[in-house]
Amino acid sequence: MRMRKLLTILALLAVCALPAAGQKTSMKKLESQRAQLEKDIALLNRKLEQNSKNKSAALSSLSLLRSKIKAREKLIAGCDQTLAVLDDSIAVVQKEMNRLQQRHDTLSYYYGRLIRGAYKNRDSRLWYMYILSSESIGQGLKRAGYLRGMSAQLSTQALRIRETSARLAVEKERLDGLRKEEAAMRKKVVGERSRLRGEEADANKLVNQLSKDRKKFQRELQEKNRQKEALNRKIADLIRQESQKASKGASGKKSSGGKTTSTAVDTKLSNEFAANKGRLPWPVEGAIVEHFGKHHHPVYTNVELPQNNGVTLAVRPGAQAKAVFNGKVTQIVVLPGYNQCVLVNHGAYFTLYSKLRSVSVKVGENVTTGQVVGTVDTIGGEDLFHFELWKGSTPQNPEGWLRY
């Protein structure tokens, strides 16, 4: 009877030794987004510090400050997402630890009973009697096999207990690490929220300050509006001219049968460009301070500003603007407030790189993705880069085409 109990315990130990699958959560994407936002905020801080020495740059400072507030809000939202992931990871690890602890306790309990049983039955005569009392030779051989394996089973179960203890220690260390990371993230969120409240207060003070000198800023606004409207007209006109040239070039080509053929290279380039929507690289590194579309004045909120056909980014001084895709330089023009502007054709699409101090390409030159087209200029004490993307005569929101 004792021998049967020992064999039953061995069977239970074998069941308890089944491996458990671990669960891991990747936070690489959240960490990457957080790093980029922190980089943008650092850049905007440097720009604001530069502007603090220039009293006439108050309006620019307000735009930078509001961009920083938006980046800070996104950063806090990302931190909250990270906390949610950490909480889930902690719950998973805790559950795994509970399972391992239960497994360890079960293994230890039955192993203890097995050891005690083996000790009580340590007299070798008992083992021989167990074999000799078999009802048949087959049963005797089977019992002998069980007994020969018992020593090995004891060693195996002891090893499994040690392995479970080791895994338990690893999971405990992992849990401690996650809890420390969670505590640090919660502290970071508190700090970010505090900084956000301070930045919102600074923005309100700046709005009040700017509101007192309405006439001065209205004159500046009118001048910037004229510049933007002139840019919009000029680029639309240039693109219309380029489209007409392409149409004439295509209509002038005849096949051997006398039928009109299209420019296959342009079609291929257009298709390749369109296929990369959402994956195009940014032309410069920087933080967006003005988005695509219609906007209202940051101080005089009832005043609607001219359509922004692209995005404007705050960049480091001397930043290099790069082509977002293969194409051909079709125009280089100089416009007030936007300095040198480079227009690149990508079949049915066009990209514009403006506010450049110097240009590294020539009209008619073929450019490749990532090739430098020019260096961003410092205009009025500001390092800003303006980028546009057009499909035919229709401006597109670049943020929908460029990858984050």
Side-chain angles (χ1 to χ4, degrees), residues 269 321-330 332 342-346 351 353 359-374:
L269 187 59
K322 299 176 182 179
V324 300
F325 201 73
N326 300 337
K328 184 177 182 179
V329 178
T330 57
I332 297 174
V342 176
L343 187 67
V344 178
N345 173 253
H346 312 276
T351 52
Y353 310 79
V359 172
S360 309
V361 292
K362 297 179 292 185
V363 173
E365 181 180 343
N366 289 319
V367 295
T368 56
T369 305
Q371 182 177 336
V372 175
V373 297

Side-chain angles (χ1 to χ4, degrees), residues 63 67 70 228 287-295 305-314 338 384-387 399:
S63 295
S67 296
K70 286 181 181 177
K228 185 173 286 187
I288 298 176
V289 292
E290 188 178 352
H291 295 269
F292 178 87
K294 286 274 190 181
H295 304 284
L305 301 176
Q307 165 80 14
N308 182 16
N309 286 331
V311 289
T312 304
L313 299 93
Y338 290 86
L384 299 175
F385 171 76
H386 182 74
F387 175 77
E399 292 182 66

Side-chain angles (χ1 to χ4, degrees), residues 127 185 204 312 338:
W127 301 100
M185 186 56 65
N204 289 333
T312 304
Y338 290 86

Side-chain angles (χ1 to χ4, degrees), residues 2 4-6 8-10 12-13 106-121 154:
R2 285 180 179 175
R4 286 177 183 172
K5 284 185 176 179
L6 289 174
T8 302
I9 291 169
L10 284 171
L12 285 168
L13 283 167
T106 302
L107 284 167
S108 299
Y109 172 73
Y110 284 110
Y111 183 71
R113 286 185 61 183
L114 186 63
I115 290 294
R116 286 193 296 274
Y119 179 78
K120 288 178 183 178
N121 298 300
L154 284 168

Side-chain angles (χ1 to χ4, degrees), residues 17 20 43 57 59 66 72 81 96 118 129 170 176 197 260 269 286 361-362 364 372 376 390 392 394:
L43 175 63
L59 191 58
R66 286 187 168 166
R72 185 86 64 193
Q81 282 183 287
E96 176 66 6
M129 288 300 297
V170 168
D176 291 342
R197 287 193 294 271
T260 303
L269 187 59
V361 292
K362 297 179 292 185
V372 175
V376 179
W390 292 63
T394 306

